[in-house]
Amino acid sequence: MNFFLPIATIAAYAVTVLSLTVSFVACSNDKSMAGIEIGNPELADADTTEKDTTVKDTAEKKQPALPLVAAFSIDYSDASSQAFAKKAAQEEPMLLDSFSLVLTQVRSFSSYYTSVSIDPVLGLQLWPYEDSPEEELEISFTEGSSIEDPFRDIDLQEEGYLKEMGVGFRPDETSAIFGRLKIGKKYIPFVYSLSNFQTLMLRYHYSQIDTAGGKANLSVVFRVKLFTSGLDFSGVEVGEDSVIHIDSKYNSGLWQELNKQFVTSFQPLRYDYTTAAGEELSEYVLDIWNGIAAKKGENTIINGNFASPFTTDWILMNQFGGQADTSVLDEKGKASIMYVDVTKGGKHSYSVQLIQENVALVKDVHYKCIFTIWSDIEDSITVRIGSYSTYETVGFQQHVNVQTTGHSVEIEFDAKESDPFARFEMNLGGQERKFWIKEVQVLRLE
């Protein structure tokens, strides 16, 4: 699976056997990236509205601060996600001279919140701060703005298990991009109107955020070649002032085409924006989404063979009176086995959950879930793929009879929604018992 920027997974506290309310077990090898763990989750989610009344002390799990730094720039490369920024050359069909937006908000989208109550769909506003809610920042992409001090109080470690970072903008007072278009052998000044956009929110996948050096470095790049891709500028009309005006009145056809490509040229995972007419639009950026979703025959589960050391890919959730410990066992050098010892069954099957988030599903695509499991007690468990943000089932939910000898389980399903963060759940609670699990896969079949 193709991901975009290297991530230093934060796992300083990981141990071989985990027994906390929320434990993180095993790390990435099926995919090149794992999520960024930014706190110690405590909120019981499951598929219920019931709340756990037991309060656990999680102070010992508090992680060091992970401050946010953001950089904003333009790039003239061929839009390879890992390419170094390329400066403009004289042969470029479009040169940008002045391009600014007003930064209005920074948000995180996370799961398993600790000390805050947050709508996971709307996310958490990190900036502006509560004491200056009207604060805004002028961002120049052409000058390469970099922001560190204004974000000095942002500590991502406090806010859960990071999925996405969102940056919100509105057009600046010029509401335009100024530059030059190459028509024939001559560059002619142009003004592209941003009047079609009231606000926009760019949401970047955790794998697009570099955490090297103990900081979360968010790079927001406007890729000029994507902005102009497939467009023919030879027939543009030049105004009486010798400037090419691209707006709803002049060169309107070209303006509409550039409007379609403007937001996706920032290359977030997905975006939301409001048009001048008040229409709200949301969509994934196709090439970024295709790099995250599994290809045909590929396993979208991270570390499904449990071969890697303990970090943050697998989550053990204890809630509603459930208690379990985990460890990884070697099977005579062949494959690793996840061992789950449920010492207290709790009130429900979901009182103990073995979970992996970030299972990227594409709507209406056919998948097969495969795993091998056995227990010391023959009885059923519930296996499910749901949404971390809405808790709705987006893949399947099925009761599986677990025997005392190892057997393979296969479940085929069609994804109900496109979701980069679907959650694979094994509900193992309800009674005291032991489980052995290996070779977990969610394979894309088409």
Side-chain angles (χ1 to χ4, degrees):
M1 213 155 291
N2 299 319
F3 286 81
F4 304 100
L5 288 173
I7 285 182
T9 305
I10 300 155
Y13 63 89
V15 292
T16 301
V17 179
L18 304 176
S19 59
L20 294 165
T21 300
V22 180
S23 301
F24 295 88
V25 292
C27 87
S28 173
N29 74 327
D30 293 335
K31 297 179 183 177
S32 57
M33 299 294 170
I36 303 172
E37 185 238 318
I38 53 173
N40 182 35
E42 190 63 83
L43 181 65
D45 59 320
D47 48 358
T48 177
T49 58
E50 184 177 359
K51 300 299 180 183
D52 191 352
T53 57
T54 303
V55 178
K56 309 293 194 305
D57 180 9
T58 61
E60 62 182 289
K61 293 279 287 176
K62 184 176 175 63
Q63 297 298 300
L66 187 66
L68 178 67
V69 178
F72 306 85
S73 62
I74 58 173
D75 180 66
Y76 291 88
S77 73
D78 291 324
S80 170
S81 57
Q82 293 180 334
F84 292 104
K86 175 186 171 225
K87 295 183 178 179
Q90 288 301 312
E91 68 273 10
E92 300 293 343
M94 175 182 282
L95 298 174
L96 304 189
D97 297 325
S98 177
F99 173 27
S100 296
L101 294 172
V102 176
L103 183 67
T104 58
Q105 58 179 314
V106 178
R107 308 187 78 86
S108 65
F109 299 87
S110 309
S111 67
Y112 293 111
Y113 304 104
T114 54
S115 59
V116 288
S117 178
I118 301 163
D119 185 328
V121 175
L122 297 176
L124 173 66
Q125 182 170 305
L126 302 174
W127 180 92
Y129 306 123
E130 291 183 0
D131 59 356
S132 55
E134 303 302 321
E135 185 175 1
E136 295 181 332
L137 288 172
E138 182 88 11
I139 300 297
S140 173
F141 286 84
T142 46
E143 294 179 8
S145 294
S146 181
I147 298 177
E148 184 166 1
D149 288 344
F151 295 164
R152 63 191 178 279
D153 293 329
I154 293 177
D155 177 7
L156 295 180
Q157 295 279 8
E158 295 293 319
E159 311 305 348
Y161 192 56
L162 185 67
K163 305 300 183 188
E164 297 170 278
M165 290 291 299
V167 283
F169 296 99
R170 65 170 177 81
D172 68 356
E173 61 181 10
T174 67
S175 193
I177 296 177
F178 300 85
R180 287 160 286 157
L181 281 176
K182 191 173 186 180
I183 308 299
K185 295 183 179 181
K186 183 180 179 182
Y187 277 102
I188 300 176
F190 77 86
V191 179
Y192 163 66
S193 171
L194 292 172
S195 60
N196 183 61
F197 303 96
Q198 287 191 46
T199 62
L200 63 150
M201 168 65 71
L202 310 177
R203 294 174 59 159
Y204 289 87
H205 190 265
Y206 64 76
S207 66
Q208 296 176 283
I209 303 167
D210 182 11
T211 59
K215 297 179 179 179
N217 297 284
L218 175 62
S219 182
V220 181
V221 180
F222 184 77
R223 299 192 178 275
V224 180
K225 284 203 170 177
L226 288 180
F227 185 46
T228 61
S229 177
L231 300 182
D232 181 7
F233 297 103
S234 61
V236 296
E237 297 181 7
V238 181
E240 294 181 357
D241 56 358
S242 300
V243 175
I244 300 171
H245 296 271
I246 307 173
D247 52 38
S248 60
K249 183 177 181 180
Y250 302 102
N251 295 295
S252 60
L254 177 60
W255 181 67
Q256 292 171 3
E257 292 300 316
L258 288 171
N259 288 344
K260 294 177 184 178
Q261 299 183 173
F262 173 69
V263 181
T264 58
S265 298
F266 290 97
Q267 293 285 272
L269 168 63
R270 51 181 161 177
Y271 58 84
D272 308 277
Y273 72 86
T274 304
T275 68
E279 183 181 8
E280 297 182 356
L281 301 173
S282 302
E283 192 54 83
Y284 287 95
V285 176
L286 188 60
D287 51 340
I288 303 297
W289 173 229
N290 286 342
I292 291 171
K295 299 176 179 63
K296 182 179 179 181
E298 191 172 16
N299 186 13
T300 193
I301 290 285
I302 303 171
N303 194 29
N305 58 6
F306 306 110
S308 299
F310 287 92
T311 50
T312 61
D313 299 333
W314 288 97
I315 302 167
L316 181 68
M317 172 67 81
N318 297 326
Q319 57 191 0
F320 305 117
Q323 185 65 50
D325 296 331
T326 63
S327 60
V328 172
L329 310 175
D330 289 330
E331 188 182 27
K332 299 179 180 178
K334 294 181 180 179
S336 297
I337 300 171
M338 173 63 73
Y339 170 65
V340 183
D341 183 8
V342 181
T343 55
K344 293 182 180 179
K347 301 177 183 178
H348 312 284
S349 65
Y350 47 80
S351 293
V352 174
Q353 293 180 307
L354 184 64
I355 299 172
Q356 179 166 145
E357 299 186 322
N358 308 328
V359 178
L361 299 181
V362 180
K363 185 177 181 179
D364 296 329
V365 167
H366 196 58
Y367 294 86
K368 180 186 285 188
C369 175
I370 307 173
F371 58 90
T372 298
I373 188 169
W374 64 100
S375 176
D376 63 334
I377 299 174
E378 183 170 347
D379 203 346
S380 65
I381 64 170
T382 301
V383 183
R384 178 174 178 267
I385 296 182
S387 166
Y388 90 90
S389 59
T390 66
Y391 314 136
E392 298 294 329
T393 299
V394 296
F396 68 90
Q397 179 169 307
Q398 185 165 318
H399 297 296
V400 174
N401 185 55
V402 178
Q403 304 168 15
T404 55
T405 57
H407 60 104
S408 179
V409 176
E410 297 188 7
I411 302 168
E412 295 192 26
F413 66 95
D414 293 328
K416 298 177 177 63
E417 301 290 342
S418 289
D419 189 342
F421 308 114
R423 176 166 55 211
F424 173 79
E425 305 171 359
M426 286 185 171
N427 296 324
L428 307 176
Q431 63 177 311
E432 296 179 14
R433 60 194 295 200
K434 306 178 192 300
F435 294 94
W436 293 266
I437 303 162
K438 66 177 185 178
E439 299 296 348
V440 181
Q441 303 177 76
V442 175
L443 301 175
R444 181 172 178 170
L445 299 185
E446 60 183 42

